[in-house]
Amino acid sequence: MKTYKEYILEADKKGIAMGHFNISNLEALHGIYNAAKKLGVPIIIGLSEGEEEFFGKNEAVAVVRALRARDNYPIFLNADHHYSFEAVKNSLDAGFDSAVIDLVKLPLEENIKITKQCVEYARELSKKENREILIEAELGFIGSSSKILDKIPDGVSEATMTTPEDAKHFVDETGIDLLAPSIGNVHGMVKSGNPRLHPERVKDIRKATGIPLVLHGGSGSMDEDFIACIKEGVDIVHINTEIRVAFTKALRKALNDSPEEITPYKYLPPAVDAVEKVVEARLKLFSGMK
Ligand code: 13P
């Protein structure tokens, strides 16, 4: 099996992207993994601080490592949106393959200092444990909630998109492996429609930094925008809200349809299937299969 980084670089070379999907529970993981295996594409499972607390850090590592070993399958685990060095360190110590340090709310110099500390720690740990560990950081605010939104979050606008100059400075100073910029993307799905993405900004940032870019806030964006951004240097796309919506809607329907049913393995399968469908469609798009 190739390494995580090799899969990212392979996606880059082919002009496609890997899918990163967030989970809060095992059922969503089943749905995501079923879809990935059906298509035979590598997959990244993400847990934010809140998702990780609910699922359990060690539990998430144990399950993902067990699947990877049992099926010899490229499934990787990312500590998504962690807000301090300590939180990143704890997840990496537990065995996560990568982490996203998100300090966009701090002043830039403070952000650079702590991000660099995460990179140095990841390099040390990866040597000590003889495994590959990647550090990603976010630059530019894109909102923070994977939910249905009435409007575009305050503080997100074209004027606040990441500039190629800032991105280069940040990458040069920190030594991160992956950068998540603000290029028109927002976390969550805006009721009246998500803003358009800016592939030309992706191109400029990619050219300035030379490292793989990650598109956060994928839910609700248009297919043609994804394709254009992937072509210009996005190698990983994050999806969360679409999974939450699919899971919750299917579960709600199953419970409403059979109010007497109390057996989880009987009312949860439709929710697993709903997640699988969403993920399959997204993976096909990101992998250039349709
Ligand atoms: P969405 O909820 O908009 O899909 O964003 C997910 C995300 O970027 C997680 O890191």
Side-chain angles (χ1 to χ4, degrees):
M1 197 195 307
K2 295 186 191 69
T3 70
Y4 193 172
K5 183 112 185 241
E6 285 168 350
Y7 279 109
I8 296 170
L9 296 178
E10 182 180 73
D12 188 69
K13 223 178 179 177
K14 289 185 180 166
I16 60 174
M18 290 174 78
H20 170 294
F21 300 93
N22 289 71
I23 59 164
S24 300
N25 55 15
L26 195 53
E27 291 74 23
L29 175 60
H30 284 313
I32 296 163
Y33 192 52
N34 291 345
K37 282 217 303 186
K38 194 167 163 186
L39 301 175
V41 298
I43 195 87
I44 307 166
I45 302 296
L47 292 94
S48 64
E49 283 191 22
E51 290 164 340
E52 192 185 79
E53 196 179 320
F54 183 72
F55 197 108
K57 268 190 241 311
N58 296 308
E59 289 84 342
V61 170
V63 175
V64 167
R65 284 190 176 173
L67 293 174
R68 186 156 68 200
R70 186 194 67 189
D71 301 338
N72 189 29
Y73 199 87
I75 174 168
F76 302 100
L77 187 64
N78 178 44
D80 195 20
H81 294 285
H82 279 43
Y83 298 104
S84 65
F85 169 73
E86 287 68 31
V88 166
K89 179 181 182 301
N90 288 340
S91 300
L92 297 183
D93 287 347
F96 280 65
D97 302 301
S98 58
V100 178
I101 177 76
D102 179 349
L103 303 172
V104 290
K105 289 190 174 155
L106 292 187
L108 184 64
E109 288 315 309
E110 189 74 2
N111 182 346
I112 288 176
K113 191 173 139 217
I114 303 172
T115 300
K116 207 169 159 183
Q117 193 185 2
C118 293
V119 171
E120 280 161 9
Y121 185 73
R123 302 290 180 256
E124 247 172 61
L125 188 64
S126 110
K127 230 186 234 158
K128 190 168 131 205
E129 298 189 349
N130 191 26
R131 62 188 180 98
E132 187 183 71
I133 301 171
L134 306 179
I135 295 291
E136 173 184 331
E138 188 138 327
L139 191 65
F141 184 60
I142 61 160
S144 47
S145 301
S146 284
K147 57 184 186 188
I148 306 294
L149 305 166
D150 289 324
K151 60 178 186 60
I152 297 173
D154 290 338
V156 181
S157 71
E158 280 194 27
T160 58
M161 288 197 306
T162 308
T163 66
E165 297 74 26
D166 286 352
K168 179 173 168 35
H169 173 66
F170 188 80
V171 169
D172 288 351
E173 289 293 314
T174 58
I176 50 170
D177 301 289
L178 306 159
L179 177 71
S182 160
I183 51 107
N185 45 337
V186 291
H187 281 297
M189 290 165 80
V190 186
K191 279 184 192 160
S192 57
N194 278 42
R196 298 297 301 261
L197 304 178
H198 292 253
E200 71 291 349
R201 185 61 68 102
V202 170
K203 185 180 182 179
D204 295 344
I205 294 174
R206 180 58 194 260
K207 196 168 161 219
T209 61
I211 65 169
L213 303 180
V214 181
L215 180 67
H216 281 244
S219 295
S221 286
M222 292 169 67
D223 288 5
E224 60 190 272
D225 284 11
F226 278 127
I227 290 169
C229 289
I230 291 169
K231 187 172 154 263
E232 299 298 356
V234 162
D235 294 327
I236 298 173
V237 181
H238 281 221
I239 300 281
N240 192 356
T241 310
E242 290 178 5
I243 293 176
R244 290 180 174 183
V245 169
F247 182 89
T248 307
K249 264 193 184 161
L251 178 58
R252 204 166 267 144
K253 182 173 184 312
L255 292 174
N256 282 338
D257 288 352
S258 313
E260 303 296 320
E261 185 58 73
I262 60 156
T263 306
Y265 65 74
K266 292 193 176 158
Y267 61 71
L268 283 166
V272 174
D273 292 345
V275 170
E276 181 177 333
K277 273 203 190 82
V278 167
V279 173
E280 186 181 344
R282 284 311 192 195
L283 283 175
K284 276 187 179 160
L285 181 75
F286 304 157
S287 315
M289 291 181 189
K290 75 171 192 192

